Amino acid sequence: MSIDEETRNKAAAARLHDAVATRDLEIVSKTIDELVAPDVLFHAPVPMGMTGVQALKQVWTVLFRAFPDLYVTVEDVIAEGDRVVARNTVTGTHRGEYRGMPPTGRSVTYGEIFIFRFEGGRIAEVWGVVDVFSQMRQLGVVS
């Protein structure tokens, strides 16, 4: 893997982040179609019975419905070989149904780390570690 490929992969991850920052599901969906392999393997704490790009798109549909002001701040990005790692801080206000929970109006701030594996210039696999416990604690679900 060359430095150029690592730079390209980091740029692709940044494009995905920029699309998410618009909070526009159409832009997010189009960007996913451009940057992500259709059969992407998606490993994250989001049970929904979907696979591939549909699972990734559904994540954003659910999050934007629940947290319409959701914002992901990228704290660190590391690229090596075919992987890009992003450590993020997520903020938002719970204004819509989320995981069966009606809106609370509470604000949340939680951390997450995502690893993207690239193949042929596209994201082929995603691992996500999301601080769901902190999210649920801030929403009042757990103490």
Side-chain angles (χ1 to χ4, degrees):
M1 180 91 16
S2 71
I3 301 285
D4 289 345
E5 286 172 290
E6 289 175 356
T7 300
R8 251 194 324 274
N9 293 347
K10 278 176 79 170
R15 276 192 57 214
L16 184 57
H17 173 264
D18 290 346
V20 167
T22 68
R23 296 186 200 101
D24 181 322
L25 282 172
E26 190 174 324
I27 291 171
V28 172
S29 181
K30 284 180 182 178
T31 305
I32 288 171
D33 287 339
E34 288 174 31
L35 300 177
V36 180
D39 58 348
V40 64
L41 297 173
F42 188 57
H43 316 280
V46 284
M48 60 185 60
M50 294 181 182
T51 59
V53 294
Q54 293 306 65
L56 194 53
K57 289 177 182 181
Q58 184 63 22
V59 165
W60 294 109
T61 300
V62 167
L63 286 173
F64 289 147
R65 181 182 63 224
F67 304 95
D69 62 345
L70 184 99
Y71 191 76
V72 179
T73 302
V74 178
E75 307 290 354
D76 290 303
V77 177
I78 302 164
E80 185 170 331
D82 63 353
R83 316 274 162 132
V84 174
V85 179
R87 181 179 67 86
N88 307 319
T89 299
V90 182
T91 58
T93 309
H94 184 213
R95 303 231 181 265
E97 182 275 329
Y98 183 62
R99 296 181 181 245
M101 184 187 346
T104 62
R106 293 181 180 193
S107 295
V108 296
T109 300
Y110 58 93
E112 63 182 18
I113 297 173
F114 276 88
I115 303 170
F116 303 99
R117 182 180 63 80
F118 285 80
E119 192 174 284
R122 296 180 90 178
I123 297 169
E125 197 161 4
V126 179
W127 293 267
V129 179
V130 179
D131 189 351
V132 176
F133 179 78
S134 177
Q135 186 187 68
M136 293 293 110
R137 187 176 36 77
Q138 292 172 63
L139 292 174
V141 176
V142 295
S143 54

